[in-house]
PDB file of all heavy atoms in Angstrom:
ATOM      1  N   LYS A  23     -94.297  18.458 164.652  1.00  0.00           N
ATOM      2  CA  LYS A  23     -94.437  19.679 165.438  1.00  0.00           C
ATOM      3  C   LYS A  23     -93.770  19.534 166.824  1.00  0.00           C
ATOM      4  O   LYS A  23     -93.095  20.435 167.249  1.00  0.00           O
ATOM      5  CB  LYS A  23     -95.894  19.961 165.621  1.00  0.00           C
ATOM      6  CG  LYS A  23     -96.147  21.380 166.159  1.00  0.00           C
ATOM      7  CD  LYS A  23     -97.631  21.668 166.332  1.00  0.00           C
ATOM      8  CE  LYS A  23     -98.331  21.874 165.003  1.00  0.00           C
ATOM      9  NZ  LYS A  23     -99.725  22.373 165.172  1.00  0.00           N
ATOM     10  N   LEU A  26     -90.014  19.782 166.337  1.00  0.00           N
ATOM     11  CA  LEU A  26     -89.575  21.158 166.251  1.00  0.00           C
ATOM     12  C   LEU A  26     -89.576  21.906 167.587  1.00  0.00           C
ATOM     13  O   LEU A  26     -88.662  22.681 167.894  1.00  0.00           O
ATOM     14  CB  LEU A  26     -90.495  21.941 165.212  1.00  0.00           C
ATOM     15  CG  LEU A  26     -90.239  21.666 163.781  1.00  0.00           C
ATOM     16  CD1 LEU A  26     -91.348  22.268 162.892  1.00  0.00           C
ATOM     17  CD2 LEU A  26     -88.872  22.247 163.367  1.00  0.00           C
ATOM     18  N   ARG A  27     -90.605  21.648 168.346  1.00  0.00           N
ATOM     19  CA  ARG A  27     -90.695  22.248 169.699  1.00  0.00           C
ATOM     20  C   ARG A  27     -89.489  21.845 170.531  1.00  0.00           C
ATOM     21  O   ARG A  27     -88.913  22.680 171.219  1.00  0.00           O
ATOM     22  CB  ARG A  27     -91.941  21.854 170.419  1.00  0.00           C
ATOM     23  CG  ARG A  27     -93.170  22.577 169.978  1.00  0.00           C
ATOM     24  CD  ARG A  27     -94.390  22.282 170.770  1.00  0.00           C
ATOM     25  NE  ARG A  27     -94.192  22.536 172.173  1.00  0.00           N
ATOM     26  CZ  ARG A  27     -94.492  21.629 173.121  1.00  0.00           C
ATOM     27  NH1 ARG A  27     -94.990  20.465 172.899  1.00  0.00           N
ATOM     28  NH2 ARG A  27     -94.249  21.940 174.390  1.00  0.00           N
ATOM     29  N   LEU A  28     -89.107  20.550 170.446  1.00  0.00           N
ATOM     30  CA  LEU A  28     -87.970  20.100 171.228  1.00  0.00           C
ATOM     31  C   LEU A  28     -86.680  20.721 170.807  1.00  0.00           C
ATOM     32  O   LEU A  28     -85.848  21.130 171.648  1.00  0.00           O
ATOM     33  CB  LEU A  28     -87.875  18.567 171.095  1.00  0.00           C
ATOM     34  CG  LEU A  28     -86.795  17.861 171.896  1.00  0.00           C
ATOM     35  CD1 LEU A  28     -86.896  18.183 173.347  1.00  0.00           C
ATOM     36  CD2 LEU A  28     -86.877  16.395 171.639  1.00  0.00           C
ATOM     37  N   PHE A  30     -86.356  23.747 169.349  1.00  0.00           N
ATOM     38  CA  PHE A  30     -86.400  25.136 169.796  1.00  0.00           C
ATOM     39  C   PHE A  30     -86.188  25.286 171.341  1.00  0.00           C
ATOM     40  O   PHE A  30     -85.473  26.196 171.746  1.00  0.00           O
ATOM     41  CB  PHE A  30     -87.714  25.822 169.371  1.00  0.00           C
ATOM     42  CG  PHE A  30     -87.680  26.429 167.960  1.00  0.00           C
ATOM     43  CD1 PHE A  30     -87.661  25.591 166.893  1.00  0.00           C
ATOM     44  CD2 PHE A  30     -87.534  27.777 167.813  1.00  0.00           C
ATOM     45  CE1 PHE A  30     -87.543  26.095 165.571  1.00  0.00           C
ATOM     46  CE2 PHE A  30     -87.472  28.327 166.520  1.00  0.00           C
ATOM     47  CZ  PHE A  30     -87.489  27.473 165.437  1.00  0.00           C
ATOM     48  N   LEU A  31     -86.760  24.391 172.040  1.00  0.00           N
ATOM     49  CA  LEU A  31     -86.578  24.416 173.537  1.00  0.00           C
ATOM     50  C   LEU A  31     -85.127  24.093 173.870  1.00  0.00           C
ATOM     51  O   LEU A  31     -84.537  24.750 174.813  1.00  0.00           O
ATOM     52  CB  LEU A  31     -87.565  23.445 174.262  1.00  0.00           C
ATOM     53  CG  LEU A  31     -89.034  23.917 174.277  1.00  0.00           C
ATOM     54  CD1 LEU A  31     -89.884  22.728 174.826  1.00  0.00           C
ATOM     55  CD2 LEU A  31     -89.190  25.148 175.116  1.00  0.00           C
ATOM     56  N   SER A  51     -92.731  31.463 173.978  1.00  0.00           N
ATOM     57  CA  SER A  51     -92.353  32.093 172.785  1.00  0.00           C
ATOM     58  C   SER A  51     -91.499  31.156 171.930  1.00  0.00           C
ATOM     59  O   SER A  51     -91.564  31.163 170.707  1.00  0.00           O
ATOM     60  CB  SER A  51     -91.517  33.374 173.053  1.00  0.00           C
ATOM     61  OG  SER A  51     -90.272  33.154 173.553  1.00  0.00           O
ATOM     62  N   LEU A  52     -90.665  30.290 172.581  1.00  0.00           N
ATOM     63  CA  LEU A  52     -89.876  29.287 171.842  1.00  0.00           C
ATOM     64  C   LEU A  52     -90.893  28.274 171.143  1.00  0.00           C
ATOM     65  O   LEU A  52     -90.692  27.921 169.967  1.00  0.00           O
ATOM     66  CB  LEU A  52     -88.949  28.557 172.788  1.00  0.00           C
ATOM     67  CG  LEU A  52     -87.835  29.360 173.352  1.00  0.00           C
ATOM     68  CD1 LEU A  52     -87.074  28.596 174.399  1.00  0.00           C
ATOM     69  CD2 LEU A  52     -86.896  29.831 172.239  1.00  0.00           C
ATOM     70  N   SER A  53     -91.919  27.809 171.849  1.00  0.00           N
ATOM     71  CA  SER A  53     -92.839  26.904 171.261  1.00  0.00           C
ATOM     72  C   SER A  53     -93.628  27.611 170.085  1.00  0.00           C
ATOM     73  O   SER A  53     -93.845  26.970 169.072  1.00  0.00           O
ATOM     74  CB  SER A  53     -93.872  26.455 172.324  1.00  0.00           C
ATOM     75  OG  SER A  53     -93.212  25.618 173.265  1.00  0.00           O
ATOM     76  N   ALA A  54     -93.886  28.897 170.296  1.00  0.00           N
ATOM     77  CA  ALA A  54     -94.622  29.636 169.223  1.00  0.00           C
ATOM     78  C   ALA A  54     -93.757  29.730 168.061  1.00  0.00           C
ATOM     79  O   ALA A  54     -94.206  29.628 166.872  1.00  0.00           O
ATOM     80  CB  ALA A  54     -95.036  30.981 169.737  1.00  0.00           C
ATOM     81  N   GLU A  55     -92.432  29.975 168.183  1.00  0.00           N
ATOM     82  CA  GLU A  55     -91.495  30.050 167.105  1.00  0.00           C
ATOM     83  C   GLU A  55     -91.480  28.713 166.313  1.00  0.00           C
ATOM     84  O   GLU A  55     -91.428  28.731 165.086  1.00  0.00           O
ATOM     85  CB  GLU A  55     -90.123  30.490 167.531  1.00  0.00           C
ATOM     86  CG  GLU A  55     -89.939  31.895 167.966  1.00  0.00           C
ATOM     87  CD  GLU A  55     -88.561  32.165 168.478  1.00  0.00           C
ATOM     88  OE1 GLU A  55     -87.577  31.618 167.899  1.00  0.00           O
ATOM     89  OE2 GLU A  55     -88.431  32.841 169.501  1.00  0.00           O
ATOM     90  N   ALA A  56     -91.403  27.678 167.080  1.00  0.00           N
ATOM     91  CA  ALA A  56     -91.346  26.321 166.445  1.00  0.00           C
ATOM     92  C   ALA A  56     -92.616  26.037 165.609  1.00  0.00           C
ATOM     93  O   ALA A  56     -92.577  25.568 164.485  1.00  0.00           O
ATOM     94  CB  ALA A  56     -91.195  25.213 167.474  1.00  0.00           C
ATOM     95  N   ILE A  57     -93.805  26.443 166.159  1.00  0.00           N
ATOM     96  CA  ILE A  57     -95.055  26.173 165.417  1.00  0.00           C
ATOM     97  C   ILE A  57     -95.098  27.128 164.215  1.00  0.00           C
ATOM     98  O   ILE A  57     -95.545  26.703 163.126  1.00  0.00           O
ATOM     99  CB  ILE A  57     -96.224  26.465 166.412  1.00  0.00           C
ATOM    100  CG1 ILE A  57     -96.237  25.314 167.450  1.00  0.00           C
ATOM    101  CG2 ILE A  57     -97.531  26.519 165.633  1.00  0.00           C
ATOM    102  CD1 ILE A  57     -97.167  25.527 168.534  1.00  0.00           C
ATOM    103  N   ALA A  58     -94.617  28.341 164.298  1.00  0.00           N
ATOM    104  CA  ALA A  58     -94.542  29.264 163.161  1.00  0.00           C
ATOM    105  C   ALA A  58     -93.667  28.669 162.056  1.00  0.00           C
ATOM    106  O   ALA A  58     -94.034  28.708 160.855  1.00  0.00           O
ATOM    107  CB  ALA A  58     -94.106  30.609 163.579  1.00  0.00           C
ATOM    108  N   LEU A  59     -92.534  28.118 162.438  1.00  0.00           N
ATOM    109  CA  LEU A  59     -91.679  27.487 161.411  1.00  0.00           C
ATOM    110  C   LEU A  59     -92.327  26.269 160.767  1.00  0.00           C
ATOM    111  O   LEU A  59     -92.287  26.103 159.562  1.00  0.00           O
ATOM    112  CB  LEU A  59     -90.367  27.032 162.068  1.00  0.00           C
ATOM    113  CG  LEU A  59     -89.406  26.250 161.163  1.00  0.00           C
ATOM    114  CD1 LEU A  59     -88.898  27.147 160.038  1.00  0.00           C
ATOM    115  CD2 LEU A  59     -88.208  25.679 161.914  1.00  0.00           C
ATOM    116  N   PHE A  60     -93.045  25.496 161.600  1.00  0.00           N
ATOM    117  CA  PHE A  60     -93.776  24.328 161.125  1.00  0.00           C
ATOM    118  C   PHE A  60     -94.799  24.775 160.072  1.00  0.00           C
ATOM    119  O   PHE A  60     -94.863  24.195 159.006  1.00  0.00           O
ATOM    120  CB  PHE A  60     -94.480  23.595 162.294  1.00  0.00           C
ATOM    121  CG  PHE A  60     -95.440  22.574 161.871  1.00  0.00           C
ATOM    122  CD1 PHE A  60     -94.979  21.315 161.457  1.00  0.00           C
ATOM    123  CD2 PHE A  60     -96.769  22.804 161.855  1.00  0.00           C
ATOM    124  CE1 PHE A  60     -95.893  20.350 161.057  1.00  0.00           C
ATOM    125  CE2 PHE A  60     -97.722  21.844 161.510  1.00  0.00           C
ATOM    126  CZ  PHE A  60     -97.204  20.598 161.100  1.00  0.00           C
ATOM    127  N   HIS A  61     -95.585  25.777 160.346  1.00  0.00           N
ATOM    128  CA  HIS A  61     -96.623  26.264 159.434  1.00  0.00           C
ATOM    129  C   HIS A  61     -96.034  26.906 158.167  1.00  0.00           C
ATOM    130  O   HIS A  61     -96.615  26.783 157.109  1.00  0.00           O
ATOM    131  CB  HIS A  61     -97.554  27.194 160.088  1.00  0.00           C
ATOM    132  CG  HIS A  61     -98.472  26.498 161.070  1.00  0.00           C
ATOM    133  ND1 HIS A  61     -99.388  25.514 160.729  1.00  0.00           N
ATOM    134  CD2 HIS A  61     -98.628  26.644 162.378  1.00  0.00           C
ATOM    135  CE1 HIS A  61    -100.010  25.085 161.752  1.00  0.00           C
ATOM    136  NE2 HIS A  61     -99.624  25.711 162.828  1.00  0.00           N
TER     137      HIS A  61
END
Side-chain angles (χ1 to χ4, degrees):
K23 192 180 288 189
L26 283 171
R27 282 185 56 231
L28 183 57
F30 273 74
L31 286 171
S51 72
L52 292 172
S53 291
E55 287 178 41
I57 291 169
L59 176 66
F60 170 79
H61 287 299

